[in-house]
């Protein structure tokens, strides 16, 4: 298969601004290549693919980023800036796709989904978020009526946000396991990893660590500086150990030294890459039972699921983290979320999409 992948129009690959899509794209590319497919990627200027993806061709495009939908009102209209990066990436993608079998869009935005109605070549969409925009949900509904196979979701809970989709295609997610080393260090600090933005609920994790008299180690791109400083001010000085945004290689080395990861989403988390990355290093996860995390974590085996927003409940589970066998965490990822397993699911789905166009 010749596949043209369109990246997110928010931040270049490697910037952290694109959130989990950046890593998902990279592991999908390596999974597809190892299955023998040809992959070309269209992404913003300055993007870099993971070094293991040298066999994928990267095309970069310059332009203005889109505004992330989770930081707009649900009823906001679509806005496309002058010199739009998204439009530029789509133009480039369409040009390359003349010689390809399928376009695979990974940007959660209106324009690529709308194009589905007007294109002769197959275009498939990995929807990376729950319903964050009325105009996009309505458009997905309209396109779905004509092309019921063209959408895939990371988790059932995420797909529930689109109730008009009767039998959603669920592809989970995949991780290049060679990039994560198992560590058996169950006495380390508590960790939190993610974009620093309100939908990620960092404040609840700081509360839990602070109640235990511990510093919380926080890794991630600070997307919302005001939000970050508000949290910092509402806890005693030094409650947060800001570790910055690291590459996967550096992140996994540090994360693997921790005894647990706290995951505190305030939105319907589509998947939760950081959970699986922690598990891959042998780090159990305590997470709110909301969205993707509730399908990933096996309560009592790879971590604990906690009533959403119940910080005290989270605290009580953190206190029994040592009951989780770290090896079990790694095993779950190997059996369920490797890059190859993920790529196979995506290929099966793309075959279905392509069949519709024959
Ligand atoms: N991440 C990273 N370095 C860091 C912190 C986070 O590369 O220091 C990446 C992490 O690997 C994950 C992404 O940021 O792929 C966050 O994705 P997730 O699915 O957890 O949430 P999203 O940001 O997509 O809502």
């Amino acid at each position: 298969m010749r596949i043209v992948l369109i990246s997110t129009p928010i931040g270049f690959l490697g910037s952290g601004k694109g959130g989990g899509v950046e890593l998902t794209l990279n592991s999908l590319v390596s999974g597809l290549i190892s299955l023998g497919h040809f992959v070309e990627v269209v992404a913003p200027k300055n993007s870099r693919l993971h070094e293991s993806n040298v066999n994928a061709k990267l095309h970069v495009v310059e332009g203005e980023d889109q505004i992330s939908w989770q930081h707009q009102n649900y009823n906001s209209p679509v806005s496309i800036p002058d010199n739009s990066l998204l439009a530029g990436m789509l133009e480039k993608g369409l040009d390359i796709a003349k010689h390809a079998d399928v376009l695979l869009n990974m940007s959660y935005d209106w324009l690529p989904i709308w194009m589905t109605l007007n294109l002769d070549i197959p275009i498939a969409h990995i929807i990376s978020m729950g319903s964050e925009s009325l105009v996009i949900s309505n458009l997905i509904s309209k396109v779905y009526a004509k092309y019921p196979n063209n959408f895939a979701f990371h988790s059932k809970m995420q797909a529930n946000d689109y109730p008009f989709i009767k039998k959603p295609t669920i592809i989970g997610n995949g991780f290049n396991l060679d990039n994560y080393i198992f560590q058996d260090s169950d006495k380390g600090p508590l960790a939190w990893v993610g974009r620093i933005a309100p939908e990620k609920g960092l404040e609840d994790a700081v509360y839990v660590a602070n109640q235990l008299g511990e510093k919380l180690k926080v890794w991630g791109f600070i997307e919302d500086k005001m939000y970050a400083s508000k949290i910092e001010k509402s806890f005693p000085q030094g409650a947060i150990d800001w570790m910055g945004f690291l590459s996967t290689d550096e992140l996994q080395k540090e994360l693997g030294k921790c005894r647990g990861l706290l995951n505190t989403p305030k939105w319907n988390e589509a998947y939760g890459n950081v959970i699986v990355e922690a598990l891959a290093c042998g780090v159990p996860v305590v997470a709110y039972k909301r969205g993707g995390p509730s399908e990933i974590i096996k309560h009592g085996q790879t971590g604990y699921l906690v009533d959403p927003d119940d910080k005290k409940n989270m605290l009580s589970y953190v206190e029994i983290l040592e009951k989780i066998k770290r090896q079990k965490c790694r095993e779950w990822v190997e059996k369920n979320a490797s890059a190859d397993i993920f790529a196979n699911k995506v290929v099966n789905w793309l075959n279905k999409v392509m069949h519709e166009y024959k």
Side-chain angles (χ1 to χ4, degrees), residues 112-132:
I113 300 173
W114 178 78
M115 275 175 26
T116 319
L117 298 166
N118 306 288
L119 278 184
D120 294 330
I121 75 157
I123 175 163
H125 308 276
I126 296 183
I127 302 297
S128 57
M129 296 202 273
S131 177
E132 290 295 314

Side-chain angles (χ1 to χ4, degrees), residues 138-154:
N138 284 344
L139 178 66
I140 293 178
S141 168
K142 185 174 172 182
V143 175
Y144 171 73
K146 200 170 166 200
Y147 294 102
N149 291 323
N150 293 33
F151 300 95
F153 301 85
H154 289 295

Side-chain angles (χ1 to χ4, degrees), residues 173-222:
N173 214 339
F175 299 80
N176 215 330
L177 280 156
D178 293 346
N179 296 340
Y180 301 88
I181 297 158
F182 174 79
Q183 295 190 50
D184 208 6
S185 40
D186 58 359
K187 300 276 180 298
L190 291 171
W192 187 96
V193 187
R195 282 179 296 110
I196 321 290
E199 66 272 18
K200 296 293 187 176
L202 170 62
E203 61 279 19
D204 288 10
V206 183
Y207 167 88
V208 171
N210 193 50
Q211 286 296 108
L212 292 166
E214 292 182 35
K215 259 186 177 202
L216 181 68
K217 287 206 174 270
V218 174
W219 285 274
F221 173 71
I222 301 186

Side-chain angles (χ1 to χ4, degrees), residues 8 18 40 72 74 85 132 144 208 254 260-261 265 294 300 307 324:
T8 168
E40 298 192 46
Q72 302 185 53
Y74 187 69
L85 171 62
E132 290 295 314
Y144 171 73
V208 171
E254 294 301 317
L261 177 84
S294 48
D307 295 335
I324 304 290

